[in-house]
Amino acid sequence: MSIFPKISLRPEVENYLKEGFMNKEVVSALGEQEAERKFETLLSHLSHPPSFTTVRVNTNLTSVQHVKNLLLEELQKFNGLSVPILQHPDLQDVLLIPVIGPRKNIKKQQCEAIVGAQCGNAVLRGAHVYVPGIVSASKFMKSGDVISVYSDIKGKCKKGAKEFDGTKVFLGNGISELSRKEIFSGLPELKGIGIRMTEPVYLSPSFDSVLPSYLFLQNLPSALVTHVLNPQPGEKILDLCAAPGGKTTHIAALMHDQGEVIALDKIFNKVEKIKQNALLLGLNSIRAFCFDGTKAVKLGMVEDTEGGPPFLPETFDRILLDAPCSGMGQRPNMACTWTLKEVTSYQPLQRRLFTVAVQLLKPGGVLVYSTCTITLAENEEQVSWALTTFPCLQLQPQEPQIGGEGMKGAGLSLEQLKQLQRFDPSAVPLQDTDIDSLRGATTEDMMQLANKDCIGFFIAKFIKCKSA
């Protein structure tokens, strides 16, 4: 059931999304009332976390069973939590841990702390509260106090305020590690945990720094993308927009670290993070470069770049374009302050990157396009544009097929829509999960829920038939 308000959007952004989800094709298929109900359900579900925490096992260094056993030990340390850990039947390197919640009988404390919306979203997925995320705290707050933590979803609370009467959402209780005075002392080195969450509304284990060489915290569709790409040992593969490197390292692991994985991102710090992750996970086939993906094709007589970007056309066997996007599928997300101009700014960039990907792909090669957003413009409309613009591309069925089919409204045929995967957070009702309900649930029921109750996401797979 819904315990939080629906995601807060600017009116013009909500209207834009509504137009997409209530387009003529959808309304014709579902009826206006049902199409509107689905859209409102989606907005409500976006503000709540998914029903499962998903971790991907680094099979390059260890076995899934070994990590499962280690995680069971970790869960026992974490509030003595006795929940099952499930191995995904179709994604053998993925483990799922049910989230307990929402817990409604938590007693609210007099002493309060207000955190920013981003920090609040992280708390709902199992994180503790780090000092930079704290916006306000009661004037009498001391180290060791039991604190009620709230999210400032509209971003209206002033930094350092002693009280706040604006819109705030209760996230649970925790114990303060520092006093109010210490938190707002202005010392830049204060970056650690400020409040240790002890009674969160959603009880989800924090895997921060847990088994870092063995685990990668990843949403289910994000782990699925690399399986759809299906990299093979010995191939040369490009991850065109690679940061923070979750999919890059997954590609290398599925190739048994045999072959070459090129990762590009235009932000230096993010590229360094990819390199750190590769090192941590023991993967040697990854080469990461700080480079703008829109300029990755070598044109004319460019000097030799020693295997780095830009690249000659038709260089790669497979390409993953996990494109920069509006991120409107992320959960939980209680508020998005973006303007309509910002939300709609990604389609042209995605098309420039897609054009580069097609040029760099060998004939017979595979291109997978994905986003973590829900808009028609960044998903099905991009597929329709790609098939019209590049006659050499053919849409391919995906394996494994876990998500739903694509959304109507972009002029794609029913057969084409079935070849896409769209993860729609409104597909199942919001869950009330407690220990008792888990005991009565079958593995099959839980897996069905995990496949549907996740972030909003989109995947399309193409094959290049002949030289463009």
Side-chain angles (χ1 to χ4, degrees):
M1 64 169 285
S2 175
I3 62 157
F4 302 138
K6 73 179 187 181
I7 183 174
S8 170
L9 301 166
R10 289 179 183 239
E12 69 269 24
V13 172
E14 187 167 329
N15 289 336
Y16 165 73
L17 288 175
K18 190 171 185 176
E19 282 171 18
F21 278 82
M22 294 190 65
N23 67 68
K24 284 179 185 172
E25 281 188 63
V26 169
V27 170
S28 169
L30 296 178
E32 193 165 337
Q33 208 172 347
E34 177 59 12
E36 185 159 14
R37 185 200 66 79
K38 268 183 76 76
F39 176 65
E40 288 299 327
T41 302
L42 173 68
L43 297 186
S44 171
H45 288 204
L46 286 174
S47 64
H48 294 70
S51 291
F52 289 80
T53 298
T54 311
V55 296
R56 177 174 59 77
V57 177
N58 176 21
T59 50
N60 184 53
L61 290 186
T62 187
S63 72
V64 176
Q65 189 57 50
H66 179 57
V67 170
K68 191 174 175 180
N69 294 340
L70 292 174
L71 278 183
L72 284 166
E73 289 172 23
E74 285 294 328
L75 287 179
Q76 280 303 310
K77 292 181 211 167
F78 176 80
N79 286 7
L81 197 58
S82 178
V83 295
I85 296 177
L86 309 170
Q87 183 176 7
H88 199 288
D90 300 315
L91 309 171
Q92 293 286 309
D93 53 359
V94 167
L95 295 173
L96 299 149
I97 301 100
V99 173
I100 305 296
R103 304 191 299 165
K104 304 179 193 72
N105 54 355
I106 299 169
K107 186 183 174 189
K108 293 178 184 175
Q109 304 295 308
Q110 197 177 352
C111 195
E112 295 182 358
I114 309 293
V115 301
Q118 288 301 103
C119 176
N121 294 341
V123 168
L124 289 174
R125 296 209 71 172
H128 295 296
V129 177
Y130 286 78
V131 174
I134 302 172
V135 183
S136 148
S138 298
K139 62 182 175 184
F140 46 81
M141 184 173 113
K142 304 184 301 297
S143 173
D145 284 351
V146 179
I147 314 286
S148 280
V149 179
Y150 294 83
S151 178
D152 169 25
I153 61 172
K154 298 280 179 79
K156 301 290 187 189
C157 184
K158 286 194 170 68
K159 186 83 172 177
K162 291 173 183 169
E163 53 185 45
F164 176 62
D165 294 323
T167 306
K168 59 187 182 184
V169 173
F170 181 58
L171 304 175
N173 295 336
I175 294 172
S176 177
E177 300 272 305
L178 301 162
S179 68
R180 172 193 159 80
K181 188 178 178 183
E182 289 169 314
I183 288 168
F184 297 113
S185 65
L187 292 173
E189 61 268 22
L190 278 180
K191 289 180 180 161
I193 292 175
I195 301 166
R196 197 170 291 279
M197 296 302 294
T198 51
E199 289 184 290
V201 169
Y202 281 92
L203 187 59
S204 172
S206 170
F207 288 124
D208 193 29
S209 304
V210 172
L211 309 174
S213 295
Y214 290 172
L215 282 190
F216 209 97
L217 206 55
Q218 216 168 11
N219 287 297
L220 181 67
S222 301
L224 169 64
V225 167
T226 315
H227 285 277
V228 170
L229 185 68
N230 194 25
Q232 299 298 311
E235 290 183 331
K236 186 166 184 170
I237 296 182
L238 174 64
D239 189 350
L240 194 50
C241 304
K247 297 177 185 74
T248 309
T249 55
H250 197 189
I251 291 168
L254 289 182
M255 293 166 70
H256 310 298
D257 208 23
Q258 295 166 25
E260 192 176 5
V261 184
I262 302 288
L264 302 185
D265 203 275
K266 63 179 184 179
I267 298 169
F268 177 78
N269 290 351
K270 290 185 175 182
V271 174
E272 290 305 298
K273 184 71 178 165
I274 296 168
K275 290 176 180 176
Q276 286 167 16
N277 280 329
L279 200 62
L280 185 67
L281 300 170
L283 296 161
N284 302 308
S285 57
I286 295 168
R287 297 174 69 207
F289 299 93
C290 185
F291 199 83
D292 181 351
T294 63
K295 298 169 181 166
V297 181
K298 191 179 282 191
L299 299 168
M301 296 300 290
V302 179
E303 62 186 76
D304 187 46
T305 48
E306 295 183 3
F311 304 101
L312 288 169
E314 301 185 353
T315 291
F316 295 95
D317 298 292
R318 293 172 203 263
I319 297 177
L320 173 62
L321 173 51
D322 185 46
C325 70
S326 60
M328 300 293 291
Q330 292 293 358
R331 294 175 65 196
N333 186 3
M334 293 195 194
C336 177
T337 57
W338 283 18
T339 63
L340 182 59
K341 187 178 179 182
E342 287 171 309
V343 171
T344 56
S345 67
Y346 286 92
Q347 194 189 60
L349 171 61
Q350 290 160 352
R351 290 185 177 182
R352 289 205 304 276
L353 288 162
F354 199 101
T355 302
V356 166
V358 174
Q359 289 174 296
L360 290 176
L361 191 63
K362 290 178 183 177
V366 169
L367 167 59
V368 170
Y369 172 83
S370 63
T371 74
C372 60
T373 195
I374 54 174
T375 70
L376 193 68
E378 296 172 81
N379 295 328
E380 289 83 357
E381 280 184 18
Q382 298 294 52
V383 172
S384 185
W385 165 83
L387 293 173
T388 305
T389 309
F390 305 104
C392 61
L393 290 184
Q394 273 185 9
L395 206 53
Q396 291 289 293
Q398 299 179 37
E399 190 61 42
Q401 182 85 27
I402 291 170
E405 59 187 44
M407 186 163 77
K408 295 179 174 72
L412 296 168
S413 70
L414 290 176
E415 187 185 345
Q416 287 171 327
L417 292 175
K418 283 177 182 165
Q419 292 178 313
L420 305 173
Q421 294 201 66
R422 174 182 270 265
F423 288 82
D424 174 5
S426 71
V428 285
L430 287 172
Q431 302 299 303
D432 270 5
T433 304
D434 56 27
I435 299 295
D436 289 339
S437 69
L438 287 176
R439 285 196 191 104
T442 65
T443 304
E444 197 178 351
D445 285 345
M446 285 194 278
M447 206 51 65
Q448 208 167 7
L449 178 62
N451 287 343
K452 293 185 183 301
D453 190 10
C454 48
I455 66 167
F457 206 88
F458 179 84
I459 311 171
K461 181 179 183 178
F462 304 87
I463 193 164
K464 184 175 180 179
C465 299
K466 56 182 183 294
S467 294

Coordinates of all heavy atoms in Angstrom, one line a residue, residues 3 27 31 90 104 135 188 215 273 323 342 383 436:
I3 N 2.3 4.6 1.3 CA 2.4 5.4 2.5 C 3.0 6.8 2.3 O 3.0 7.6 3.2 CB 3.2 4.6 3.6 CG1 4.6 4.4 3.2 CG2 2.5 3.4 4.0 CD1 5.6 4.2 4.3
V27 N -4.7 4.8 -25.1 CA -6.1 5.0 -24.7 C -7.0 4.1 -25.5 O -8.0 3.5 -25.0 CB -6.5 6.5 -24.8 CG1 -8.0 6.7 -24.7 CG2 -5.7 7.3 -23.8
G31 N -8.6 2.1 -22.8 CA -9.7 3.0 -22.4 C -9.1 4.1 -21.5 O -8.0 3.9 -20.9
D90 N 16.9 -16.9 -13.8 CA 17.3 -16.6 -15.2 C 18.6 -15.8 -15.2 O 19.3 -15.6 -16.3 CB 16.2 -15.8 -15.9 CG 14.9 -16.6 -16.0 OD1 15.0 -17.7 -16.4 OD2 13.9 -16.0 -15.7
K104 N 4.8 0.4 10.2 CA 3.9 1.5 10.5 C 3.8 1.9 12.0 O 3.3 2.8 12.4 CB 2.5 1.3 10.0 CG 2.4 1.0 8.5 CD 1.0 0.8 8.0 CE 1.0 0.2 6.7 NZ 1.4 -1.2 6.6
V135 N 20.3 18.4 6.7 CA 20.0 19.8 6.4 C 19.6 20.5 7.7 O 20.0 21.7 7.9 CB 18.8 19.9 5.4 CG1 18.5 21.3 5.1 CG2 19.0 19.1 4.2
P188 N 34.9 20.7 6.8 CA 34.8 19.9 5.5 C 35.1 18.4 5.7 O 34.6 17.6 4.9 CB 35.7 20.6 4.6 CG 36.7 21.3 5.4 CD 36.0 21.6 6.7
L215 N 30.8 -8.3 -4.4 CA 29.4 -7.8 -4.6 C 29.4 -6.5 -5.4 O 30.2 -5.7 -5.2 CB 28.7 -7.5 -3.3 CG 28.2 -8.6 -2.4 CD1 27.4 -8.0 -1.3 CD2 27.4 -9.6 -3.2
K273 N 36.8 6.0 -11.2 CA 35.9 5.1 -10.4 C 35.8 3.7 -11.1 O 35.8 2.7 -10.5 CB 34.5 5.7 -10.1 CG 33.6 4.9 -9.3 CD 34.0 4.9 -7.8 CE 33.0 4.1 -7.0 NZ 33.6 3.8 -5.6
A323 N 22.3 4.8 -22.1 CA 22.4 6.2 -22.5 C 22.1 7.1 -21.3 O 21.3 6.8 -20.4 CB 21.4 6.5 -23.6
E342 N 14.7 20.4 -19.2 CA 15.8 19.4 -18.8 C 15.3 18.0 -19.1 O 16.1 17.2 -19.6 CB 16.0 19.6 -17.2 CG 16.8 20.9 -16.9 CD 16.9 21.1 -15.4 OE1 15.8 21.1 -14.7 OE2 18.0 21.3 -14.9
V383 N 13.6 3.8 -30.6 CA 13.7 2.5 -31.4 C 13.1 2.8 -32.7 O 13.6 2.4 -33.8 CB 12.9 1.4 -30.6 CG1 12.8 0.2 -31.5 CG2 13.7 1.1 -29.3
D436 N 6.3 -12.6 8.6 CA 5.2 -13.6 8.4 C 4.8 -13.8 7.0 O 4.6 -14.9 6.5 CB 4.0 -13.2 9.3 CG 4.2 -13.3 10.8 OD1 5.2 -14.0 11.1 OD2 3.5 -12.7 11.6

